[in-house]
Amino acid sequence: DNDLIETVYIPIKDRETVCVSSQVGCKFHCAFCASGQAGFFRNLTAGEIISQVLLARDLSPKKKISNIVFMGIGEPFDNYPSLLRAIRMLNAPEMLNIGARKITVSTCGLIPKIKLFSYDKVMRKISFFF
């Protein structure tokens, strides 16, 4: 649809990390972040989120991804259903099998969604930043 997001591949020593976006733009206009400067356009689907990881994996020298950080464009908890679907797919042994402790979600602090996230058995193992 010609909307732009960012995906960043970060190779550091023994880790192959991908920083993924969860939205096109952002509603929150945090002072420390440039994501909201152009406004909010739409949520990404779980498939679009996973596609970022697969593309980074395919372009990486080792053809492997070990860590995922949701710190790209958008507030991940504002796109909660797609975030959960994507994390479950990234974590599933029959999919990418990325350990829950290797997935990080960065948030500006949507407390109701953080609480909901913390009740999920798989999601409890995932770290998040405020």
Side-chain angles (χ1 to χ4, degrees), residues 24 26 35 58 75-76 100-101:
V24 180
C26 186
S35 293
D58 292 349
E75 166 52 56
R101 296 193 189 277

Side-chain angles (χ1 to χ4, degrees), residues 2 13 17 29 35 38-39 42 47-48 56 59 67 85 88 93 96-97 103 107 114 117-118 120 123 129:
N2 293 320
K13 295 182 185 176
T17 301
H29 308 285
S35 293
R42 68 178 181 86
E48 289 171 321
L59 294 174
N67 297 65
R85 276 194 289 278
R88 283 193 166 85
L96 293 174
N97 199 28
I103 300 171
T107 178
I114 292 170
F117 193 78
S118 71
D120 188 290
M123 302 308 156
F129 293 108

Side-chain angles (χ1 to χ4, degrees), residues 39-70:
F40 174 76
F41 297 93
R42 68 178 181 86
N43 287 323
L44 296 179
T45 66
E48 289 171 321
I49 294 169
I50 297 295
S51 293
Q52 294 172 73
V53 177
L54 295 175
L55 178 62
R57 181 197 64 189
D58 292 349
L59 294 174
S60 72
K62 295 181 184 177
K63 305 294 185 219
K64 182 180 185 316
I65 298 300
S66 61
N67 297 65
I68 307 292
V69 292
F70 285 84

Side-chain angles (χ1 to χ4, degrees), residues 46 49-50 68 70 77 82-92 98 100 103-105 117 122-123 126:
I49 294 169
I50 297 295
I68 307 292
F70 285 84
F77 285 135
S82 292
L83 172 70
L84 255 56
R85 276 194 289 278
I87 289 173
R88 283 193 166 85
M89 286 189 271
L90 291 166
N91 181 247
I98 296 173
I103 300 171
T104 301
V105 178
F117 193 78
V122 172
M123 302 308 156
I126 294 167

